[in-house]
Amino acid sequence: MTNHLNPRLALSIATILVATALAGCAREGKDPNGTQASVHADLAFHNGAIYTVNGARSWAESIAIDDGRIIYVGNDAGAKEYIGPQTRVVDLKGRMVLPGMQDAHIHPILGGIEANGCDLNAANTVDEYIAIIKKYADEHPHQPWIKGGGWSMAAFGPGALARKELIDAVVPDRPVILMSRDGHTTWVNSLALEVAGITSDTPDPADGRIDRDPKTGEPSGSLQEGAGVLVADKAPPDTDAIRDAGLRYAVKMLNAYGITGIQDASVYEEDLKTYHRLDAAGELSLHVVASIWWEREPGLEQIEAIKKLRSNYTKGRVDASTVKIMQDGVLENYTGVVLEPYRLKGQQDVHGIPMIEPELLQQAVTKLDAEGFQVHFHAIGDGAVRQALDAVEAARTANGELGRRHHISHLQLIHPDDQPRFRRLNVIANFQPLWAYADDYVTELTLPFISEQAATYMYPIGSMERGGAIVAFGSDWSVSTANPFEQIETAVTRMGSLGETDEPFMPEERIGLPEALAAFTINAAYTNRNEQDTGSLEVGKLANLAVLDRNLFDIPATEISETKVLLTLFEGKPVHGRPDEL
Ligand SMILES: [Zn+2]
C-alpha cells in the first residue's frame, strides 16, 4: 500500500462536502414556526434511471431543480416535498439521465468554421474530396480563397502525399488551403504555394516540413506541421461573423450530444473574444476552459502576455487559466517524439521533432505552475510524454504540489516506466478514446514504423485506469467526431464504433462503462476545475444533464454509439430538445 490518498476518493469527498454546504444554502429559508421550509422546484423529473456519478455511483429516480441548481436527487417518494403548484413535473418514463458531459480536448471554433466551409470530414476517398472541393468552389464563386479541411492522410495510402495537382485540376485560379482531419498537415494547390512564395529553394521551417517531389525537389502540395503556417498566414483572416457562426455551430452540436462543458485545446486572443461575444449574447450554453496557445518562438517572456489574456478574459462562462503546450507532432508523419527511433528505410535515428527543447519546457512549466496556470500538453509519442512528465516533476520539485491539475492529451504511446508517474505527479491522462482501435492510421501508417516495443503500449487506457490515474476523455473534434457515445463505445470495446473492425485492438486495454462515463463527466469536470459545480448530479450542483433514449447499461456495448440525446439542460434550461416532448 502507499500512503497516497486515491485522488478519485479525495475528489468525491470534496464533492460531498461542497454539495452538503450548498444544499444548506438552498434550503435555509425558515417558516414563522421555526421549522425548515422546503424550497419548491421550478422543474422536477421523476420515474427515471438517473445515473448520478456521485462518489458511490448511485442511481436515483427523481431530480428537482430550482433556479438552475439541483435541490434534490433521490427516490420518487422523497421528491414530493419539493413539488409545489408552480413546479413543472416531467415523467422520464424510465429513461436514463447522465450529468451533462464535458469534452476535455476540443477545437470548437476551428471545427465549426471548417464545418461551415469546404468540409471534407464526411468523405473518405481522394475522388470524393476532389468532387467536394469542386462543388464548393462552384457554389462560392466570389470567395477569393477556398478554405476548409477534414481530409484524412489514410485516404492517400501509405507513404503517399496529398498532391497539389489533384486540386489544380478542379481549382486552378484561386488559392486552396485544406487542413487534414488530424490538424497536422496542410494540403494546398499550386496557386497557394505561389502566393506564399514557397519554391524548391524555400528551406523547411524549424517546426515543420515542406513535402517535396522526390525527383524534382519541387514543393508537392502538402505542408507538415508549422510549414502550413507559411500559406495560412497569406489567406484572408476569418471575419468575426465567420468565427461566431463557427462557434454557434459547435455549441449547438455539442449541446445535442449532451455536452455542457469543454476544454478548448488551443486559443488565441481572437478565440477568447469570440467566446465572449457569444456569451454576451446569451448563446454560450457551455462552460469553457480555454487553453492559451504557447508560442514556440518566444520563450518564458511570453508568460506576461498570457497572464494578461487570463485576467482580461476569465469571466462569465470562460476560464482562461490553462496554457496549451504542444510538445510533438504525430506518429504518422514521424514528427511524434519517440524513445526508440522510427523504423524507416534508409533513415536512421529519426526520433521525431520536440517542439520545445526539454530544458526550456521544464522552465516554462515550472513558471506557469507557480503563476497559477494549468498546463495542457499535447504529447503523442512516448518520448514527448516523458518530456512532459519530466517538466511537471521539475515544477513539483521547485514549487511543491500546487494542485494545478496538469494534463497530457493524446497519449498514443506511454512507456510502462512512465505510466505510474501520472498518479504520482497528479497528472491527468486525457485520452481521445475514439482512436484506440485498429484503423488504417494504426495498422498501415503507425505500427509498421514504430519500434516493436512501443507497439505493445498503444493507447493504454485500461493500464492507466487500473494504475489509479485520473482518466479524462476528449474528442479532439474536428479531428474526430465529437459524439461521446461513439467514443465511449470504442473505449469499452477497442473496436471501431461504426463497425469498422470486429476484433478488439489490445483488448486488455478496454475499460468498463462506469469508468468511461466518469471520464466524460466527473473526471473531465475535475480536469476543467469545475467539479464543485458540474460533473455529477448532486444537490447544490448546476442542473446540467442529458436525457438519453436508452439505458447504456442495458444494451450491448456495440450499440452505445447509436444513443441519441433527447434533452439537454444547461443550468436548468433546455438547450437541446424539449421537456414536454420526452
Ligand atoms: Zn487537439
Side-chain angles (χ1 to χ4, degrees), residues 105 107 265 324 410 476:
H105 183 120
H107 304 277
K324 168 72 173 301
H410 306 327
D476 208 6

Side-chain angles (χ1 to χ4, degrees), residues 25-29 36-42 64-67 71 81-84 87:
C25 306
R27 303 193 57 194
E28 77 193 343
Q36 287 276 326
S38 296
V39 170
H40 286 157
D42 45 39
I65 296 160
D66 188 59
D67 203 17
I71 57 169
E81 66 170 294
Y82 297 88
I83 295 172
T87 307

Side-chain angles (χ1 to χ4, degrees), residues 207 229 336 510 566:
D207 59 350
V229 176
R510 288 180 290 210
L566 304 174

Side-chain angles (χ1 to χ4, degrees), residues 49 91 101 115 135 146 219 325 364 370-371 404 407 428 523 527 567:
D91 184 357
M101 288 178 277
K135 183 163 183 279
I146 305 297
I325 299 184
E371 293 281 3
R404 305 295 183 222
H407 57 117
I428 299 156
N523 292 359
T527 309
L567 173 72

